[in-house]
Amino acid sequence: MQTLKFQSKAKNLAMLQGKLKNALILPLTILTKNKVKNNPQQALEDIKAFCVSNAIQKLIIRSSSLNEDSMQNSNAGAFLSIANIAVNDKDAIMHALRQVADSMPNDDDELLVQPCIEHIVLCGVGFSVDKDNFSPYYCIECDASGSNSSITDGSSKEKISYFQYRDMPTYPTNKINDSKDMSQKCNEKKVYNNTLSTQSADSINHKRFQIIIMLMQELESIMQYNFIDIEFAFAKPCTKDAVNTMLDNGEILYLLQVRPLVQSHINLFNAVPQDALSRLQKRLASFLKKTPNILGDRAIFGVMPDWNPAEIIGLRPKRLALSLYKEIVTDNIWAYQRDNYGYKALHSHPLMHSFLGIPYIDVRASFNSFIPKELDSRIAEKLANYYLKRLATHPEFHDKVEFEIVFSCYDFNTPSSLSLLLEHGFNSNEIKRIEFSLLELTNSIIDTKNGYYTKDLEKVGRLQDSFMAIQSSDYSLIDKIYWSLQECKRLGTLPFAGIARAGFVAILMLNSLVTIGFLSKEEKQTFLHTLNTISKQLAEDSMNLNAENKTAFLQKFGHLRAGSYDILSPRYDEDFERYFNLDKKHEAQPHKLFSLSKERLKELDRILKEHGLKIDSREFFSFLKIAIEGREYAKFEFSKLLSYTLVLIGELGVHYGIAKEDMAYLDIHDILSLYASLYSKSPKQKLLDSICKHKEEYELTLAIKLPPLITMQEQIFAFQTEQVMPNFITQKAVTAMTALHTDSDLDGKIVLIYAADPGFDYLFTKNIAGFITCYGGANSHMAIRASEQSMPAVIGVGEEQYHKYCKAERLRIDCQSEQIICL
């Protein structure tokens, strides 16, 4: 076939008419802006003749400017299109022609006139590569609402995204959907039937996606260009010529637009070798099987459950941050402390895995670790399988598993919540035994005298002395790094993991008091406002910063950084002006005092006794206060040693002449191994070799696409995602200009931050209007802080929506209706 060259939007479609096997291009006529301006009557006559010859009832008039859809600039959405114009309404047609013509800058720009598609089943956009970094994935975004513009204008509420590796391997015929759809008629390549077959109504979507991909492959071949962007729609036939390209279900795929993608400054087109994905798929297959010493017939991996790495270290962390998180939390510490607190022992089971550099939580291990160790093993196995099945059925709960999936402690709503299990094969006796085991476990946790969290708080209290001893010692840099991390684990993250568990139990129990109607939402907020958390202290101390109190402020808070595990994220005391303003006065917000009458305390005593909780009302509120405050205090204290370790690693880089930006690619074990081992190579060369290797691997990490929740090995090559369900904080609404957290002027703006990391607490001192995070769960640090501050916020909108909001100049957050609107 003759190679064609990209021209204008209109001419691209015109030259492809009659040449495509996988889609239909609607009849079209092209007018020039000159004709519309200088000879409008002739333009109307041309449109009338066009409509008559094609039996058209409604029109769409679209821009086709020389300034859009080129190799240099797409200018997507910059010019006007007007749809649903009745062909017998000359005034409406003329008005639309003038409006579209006036929206374009050049006299020789074109207007594209076509039938307006009705009865749209699915519409959207497709990219032959990732549009931002050109990684080798077919990317499809579509909407099933019937709208013809919701994807391109960002208003979609029924958005579906599909990603498929371009060089997906060929599989045996029996692994292919055996329906004879158009993709099989037009291309003999065997397409792997991915996970869509496991979801409702996705079998037909899978067929549609494969047809769209075949269309893009056909266009790549015709245009001899690999980087294209198309707009498409599936609809019932709207012209008499559509019958020959009809799908088995009576739909037609219409190509509405094709243009070249503007070359990105990052090109990762060759960064994902097929064999790397094949090895990952093979490894995942072994993980997904039933394994000894762990309950559950299947495995699931996610980026958000439990110690959600997407929130703490990001979806694509550099090697140092990833390895540090594994070393001090997710390899061993997490399991030891769950065991200490009465849950099933999972020693030697790492919680987090790295899939080609992307961190994933082993959800099956996590769910096991929330099962009381005293629960009968048969019931425990049944419960683990229920958790896994529920998450697989409701993937939208992946960032709120402890709220929506698992029963990790006893609260005032537990008897009611557990009744759900009756619908999933559990009998009343089994449910009662689960309830009793959770009650026993919870009583051991909330004990204000002997609860394990009290011992953990004592351990954290010794951390400062240990930190000062290491800091003032004459150890070598490598020795200081080694012992800082050992003490950080022993007196930092290990007790923190326990206190955080107690803190989460406290939040669940507090929330359940609202659920059963004992406390109002306002009373709950009032109680939270009375807590003297580290975050509250930071907010109050930073309200009236000046030259006199700056030093004292940094002595207390200077070790904090926006990315706790990121060596490239500056500490407060390294870049003070980035985070704070001197001499900017803020008025402290008054808060009500929280108090309950004697009668209500007696009522709570009765409720506690009725539920079998061995604690009275005053001890109960004491536990809530100590546990919630303690969680922040413990994190604050261990972050001193973590932050200090990152400083030392930076100094080690200076010692060897290695830039901090390069040190970020080291694995922490590259450094720790130098403590007890002497190698033939010099330490500097050993570190440089490791940096070089991990930089190369990181390019693959940047390019690879994996779903937020992996339930099947087939998802390594192709997967579908539904719209993310973010967490809206407060019931407030706010409209404001947007800013990235790195911007200097944040006053009165909605701030966008990547993760809900506690290092972003400084934002509460900036008089911001609200904030949105890419990642983070309902119980993340920033979610709790926003609730305490009564600040409108949206936690965990997901990568796609986050990047869309970053590009918006102005947003409206309506937490009550759970909407984010680009203005």
Side-chain angles (χ1 to χ4, degrees):
M1 181 178 290
Q2 179 186 0
T3 300
L4 303 179
K5 299 296 182 184
F6 286 107
Q7 302 178 58
S8 66
K9 179 192 299 181
K11 288 175 181 171
N12 288 342
L13 292 176
M15 69 182 179
L16 288 167
Q17 274 194 317
K19 294 183 172 65
L20 298 177
K21 297 178 181 178
N22 291 289
L24 185 73
I25 295 174
L26 288 163
L28 60 86
T29 188
I30 302 172
L31 303 175
T32 65
K33 180 178 176 179
N34 265 330
K35 175 175 280 191
V36 171
K37 289 294 185 183
N38 300 323
N39 197 350
Q41 197 58 41
Q42 184 59 53
L44 281 174
E45 290 299 322
D46 291 348
I47 291 176
K48 181 180 178 180
F50 169 68
C51 292
V52 169
S53 63
N54 291 282
I56 298 169
Q57 300 299 315
K58 287 188 177 181
L59 292 174
I60 182 170
I61 300 175
R62 306 164 65 193
S63 66
S64 179
S65 174
L66 300 176
N67 289 24
E68 61 182 332
D69 297 351
S70 71
M71 294 280 192
Q72 291 74 38
N73 293 290
S74 73
N75 273 326
F79 308 113
L80 197 59
S81 293
I82 299 176
N84 292 313
I85 309 165
V87 297
N88 57 0
D89 190 338
K90 291 183 180 180
D91 290 340
I93 294 173
M94 196 68 251
H95 182 65
L97 287 172
R98 286 171 177 154
Q99 278 190 294
V100 174
D102 289 343
S103 74
M104 298 183 292
N106 309 303
D107 287 340
D108 49 353
D109 283 336
E110 300 161 344
L111 288 81
L112 171 62
V113 182
Q114 291 181 287
C116 188
I117 301 178
E118 298 184 274
H119 310 300
I120 291 175
V121 179
L122 193 82
C123 73
V125 296
F127 304 94
S128 61
V129 292
D130 180 277
K131 64 182 183 300
D132 296 315
N133 60 25
F134 280 35
S135 62
Y137 287 86
Y138 291 109
C139 307
I140 300 169
E141 296 179 4
C142 50
D143 178 278
S145 68
S147 168
N148 62 3
S149 62
S150 57
I151 289 295
T152 52
D153 67 17
S155 64
S156 172
K157 291 186 178 180
E158 298 182 40
K159 181 178 176 181
I160 302 168
S161 298
Y162 178 76
F163 304 93
Q164 180 175 304
Y165 180 61
R166 283 178 59 92
D167 194 21
M168 196 160 67
T170 299
Y171 288 86
T173 305
N174 62 0
K175 288 201 174 187
I176 304 169
N177 190 304
D178 57 11
S179 297
K180 292 186 176 181
D181 56 43
M182 191 186 302
S183 64
Q184 290 169 303
K185 295 174 185 175
C186 300
N187 194 309
E188 293 184 0
K189 181 177 179 180
K190 303 305 183 184
V191 179
Y192 191 61
N193 186 14
N194 61 69
T195 60
L196 297 178
S197 61
T198 68
Q199 302 170 8
S200 61
D202 285 337
S203 177
I204 185 62
N205 273 349
H206 175 58
K207 296 176 185 178
R208 292 171 180 146
F209 295 147
Q210 296 310 318
I211 296 167
I212 295 165
I213 289 171
M214 297 305 157
L215 171 60
M216 286 192 280
Q217 292 171 341
E218 185 180 9
L219 289 168
E220 288 179 60
S221 176
I222 292 173
M223 307 305 294
Q224 287 295 291
Y225 191 69
N226 288 328
F227 313 129
I228 62 169
D229 165 5
I230 68 169
E231 292 182 19
F232 63 85
F234 284 93
K236 299 302 179 183
C238 62
T239 65
K240 60 186 179 182
D241 300 320
V243 179
N244 292 334
T245 52
M246 188 179 294
L247 275 68
D248 291 345
N249 64 355
E251 294 174 7
I252 298 293
L253 172 59
Y254 292 102
L255 176 64
L256 307 181
Q257 183 169 320
V258 57
R259 63 187 171 204
L261 277 172
V262 177
Q263 285 281 1
S264 170
H265 67 285
I266 300 174
N267 191 325
L268 300 177
F269 188 67
N270 297 310
V272 186
Q274 186 192 96
D275 66 315
L277 296 182
S278 296
R279 286 196 303 274
L280 173 58
Q281 189 180 60
K282 186 176 180 181
R283 185 70 182 120
L284 187 65
S286 65
F287 282 140
L288 292 173
K289 295 176 182 177
K290 175 85 174 163
T291 55
N293 305 319
I294 193 162
L295 307 175
D297 297 334
R298 61 183 300 177
I300 295 176
F301 291 88
V303 299
M304 284 296 293
D306 213 342
W307 285 84
N308 43 23
E311 174 189 338
I312 303 300
I313 57 175
L315 194 61
R316 290 175 170 80
K318 292 186 173 67
R319 188 59 170 252
L320 182 59
L322 176 70
S323 60
L324 270 172
Y325 198 46
K326 286 172 65 68
E327 172 68 18
I328 69 174
V329 177
T330 67
D331 275 354
N332 298 294
I333 293 296
W334 78 282
Y336 278 98
Q337 203 58 303
R338 295 270 166 91
D339 183 17
N340 289 341
Y341 275 65
Y343 296 97
K344 179 177 167 58
L346 287 171
H347 305 302
S348 303
H349 285 278
L351 180 65
M352 185 175 76
H353 295 259
S354 172
F355 292 163
L356 300 178
I358 298 179
Y360 276 88
I361 294 297
D362 181 344
V363 181
R364 176 167 57 180
S366 170
F367 285 171
N368 271 249
S369 77
F370 289 129
I371 296 175
K373 64 173 67 173
E374 300 302 326
L375 184 63
D376 174 79
S377 60
R378 182 186 60 82
I379 301 174
E381 175 84 28
K382 197 171 179 179
L383 195 58
N385 279 318
Y386 162 73
Y387 291 157
L388 291 164
K389 183 179 179 180
R390 181 161 167 78
L391 180 59
T393 307
H394 295 280
E396 68 273 15
F397 293 154
H398 76 119
D399 64 339
K400 43 183 85 69
V401 294
E402 281 198 76
F403 293 99
E404 302 288 351
I405 304 288
V406 305
F407 306 105
S408 61
C409 71
Y410 187 94
D411 63 49
F412 302 105
N413 199 46
T414 294
S416 174
S417 299
L418 286 173
S419 64
L420 175 70
L421 295 178
L422 288 170
E423 302 171 16
H424 297 277
F426 290 81
N427 61 44
S428 298
N429 179 58
E430 290 170 330
I431 292 172
K432 204 66 186 173
R433 293 175 73 176
I434 294 169
E435 181 182 329
F436 181 74
S437 67
L438 290 171
L439 179 62
E440 290 260 289
L441 178 145
T442 303
N443 272 322
S444 70
I445 290 175
I446 66 176
D447 188 332
T448 55
K449 296 182 178 65
N450 301 308
Y452 213 95
Y453 76 96
T454 61
K455 301 179 181 66
D456 282 334
L457 282 167
E458 291 173 4
K459 286 183 182 179
V460 174
R462 303 200 301 270
L463 189 59
Q464 179 66 19
D465 290 341
S466 183
F467 169 53
M468 296 300 294
I470 294 172
Q471 192 176 42
S472 61
S473 73
D474 60 356
Y475 295 167
S476 70
L477 279 174
I478 289 172
D479 289 1
K480 282 187 174 182
I481 292 169
Y482 179 85
W483 286 112
S484 291
L485 286 181
Q486 299 312 308
E487 292 299 273
C488 185
K489 289 187 288 185
R490 185 174 72 89
L491 297 176
T493 54
L494 181 63
F496 165 71
I499 300 164
R501 173 80 345 227
F504 191 81
V505 170
I507 290 293
L508 282 177
M509 298 188 85
L510 180 62
N511 288 342
S512 69
L513 281 179
V514 176
T515 303
I516 66 171
F518 179 80
L519 289 179
S520 67
K521 289 182 179 180
E522 293 73 21
E523 286 174 321
K524 171 193 161 184
Q525 293 304 319
T526 299
F527 172 75
L528 290 172
H529 289 152
T530 65
L531 301 179
N532 187 29
T533 60
I534 291 294
S535 299
K536 185 176 182 180
Q537 295 171 34
L538 171 64
E540 291 177 350
D541 289 358
S542 62
M543 278 182 178
N544 296 297
L545 275 172
N546 54 50
E548 287 71 34
N549 59 27
K550 174 183 173 182
T551 300
F553 175 83
L554 289 178
Q555 283 176 346
K556 183 175 182 180
F557 299 108
H559 68 280
L560 296 175
R561 52 177 94 218
S564 299
Y565 292 79
D566 184 4
I567 193 173
L568 301 180
S569 178
R571 292 161 47 116
Y572 287 4
D573 58 12
E574 291 174 342
D575 195 353
F576 178 84
E577 288 74 21
R578 175 178 180 173
Y579 298 109
F580 302 102
N581 296 322
L582 286 178
D583 302 316
K584 190 165 185 177
K585 305 297 181 184
H586 298 274
E587 290 187 13
Q589 297 295 317
H591 294 303
K592 298 177 183 176
L593 292 176
F594 177 80
S595 65
L596 295 178
S597 65
K598 289 182 180 179
E599 290 74 18
R600 292 190 70 191
L601 288 173
K602 285 182 180 179
E603 172 66 9
L604 182 55
D605 283 331
R606 184 192 65 77
I607 293 171
L608 288 162
K609 187 174 181 179
E610 182 182 280
H611 281 270
L613 292 163
K614 300 173 182 178
I615 193 172
D616 65 30
S617 56
R618 295 188 185 279
E619 290 173 323
F620 176 74
F621 280 110
S622 174
F623 163 71
L624 296 184
K625 176 178 171 62
I626 293 170
I628 297 172
E629 289 179 351
R631 177 169 65 173
E632 285 199 25
Y633 161 71
K635 181 179 283 190
F636 181 75
E637 289 299 317
F638 92 69
S639 68
K640 290 180 182 176
L641 267 174
L642 173 59
S643 188
Y644 178 58
T645 300
L646 291 174
V647 171
L648 293 173
I649 293 171
E651 290 177 3
L652 186 66
V654 172
H655 175 75
Y656 286 123
I658 303 174
K660 187 184 289 188
E661 289 74 17
D662 290 333
M663 295 295 282
Y665 291 96
L666 280 174
D667 191 298
I668 189 59
H669 292 100
D670 295 328
I671 299 171
L672 296 180
S673 67
L674 299 176
Y675 175 78
S677 301
L678 186 67
Y679 299 93
S680 58
K681 284 184 179 180
S682 69
K684 177 179 180 178
Q685 190 57 51
K686 187 175 185 302
L687 297 181
L688 287 173
D689 289 347
S690 180
I691 288 168
C692 182
K693 179 181 71 174
H694 293 143
K695 276 187 173 181
E696 184 178 335
E697 290 174 352
Y698 191 65
E699 189 171 88
L700 171 59
T701 301
L702 290 176
I704 191 175
K705 288 188 180 297
L706 294 173
L709 205 66
I710 298 177
T711 58
M712 298 177 67
Q713 67 189 74
E714 291 84 358
Q715 290 171 298
I716 300 304
F717 284 98
F719 62 93
Q720 175 182 318
T721 63
E722 306 290 337
Q723 196 148 14
V724 176
M725 292 181 64
N727 301 282
F728 287 80
I729 311 300
T730 78
Q731 296 292 296
K732 294 183 177 179
V734 63
T735 301
M737 302 295 287
T738 61
L740 300 178
H741 69 89
T742 51
D743 294 346
S744 57
D745 180 16
L746 304 179
D747 196 331
K749 294 181 178 176
I750 293 172
V751 179
L752 292 123
I753 58 179
Y754 194 71
D757 189 280
F760 289 106
D761 264 357
Y762 72 91
L763 291 174
F764 293 104
T765 73
K766 295 289 191 177
N767 193 35
I768 63 175
F771 64 90
I772 295 172
T773 75
C774 180
Y775 287 103
N779 194 48
S780 68
H781 177 88
M782 292 294 277
I784 294 169
R785 289 290 293 124
S787 181
E788 292 171 352
Q789 297 284 321
S790 295
M791 177 176 288
V794 190
I795 310 295
V797 297
E799 291 255 334
E800 294 175 31
Q801 294 302 304
Y802 176 78
H803 290 303
K804 183 182 83 172
Y805 299 144
C806 284
K807 295 173 183 176
E809 291 186 7
R810 193 175 183 86
L811 292 172
R812 175 171 174 78
I813 298 174
D814 188 334
C815 295
Q816 190 170 48
S817 64
E818 298 195 353
Q819 283 185 304
I820 305 174
I821 303 166
C822 298
L823 302 175

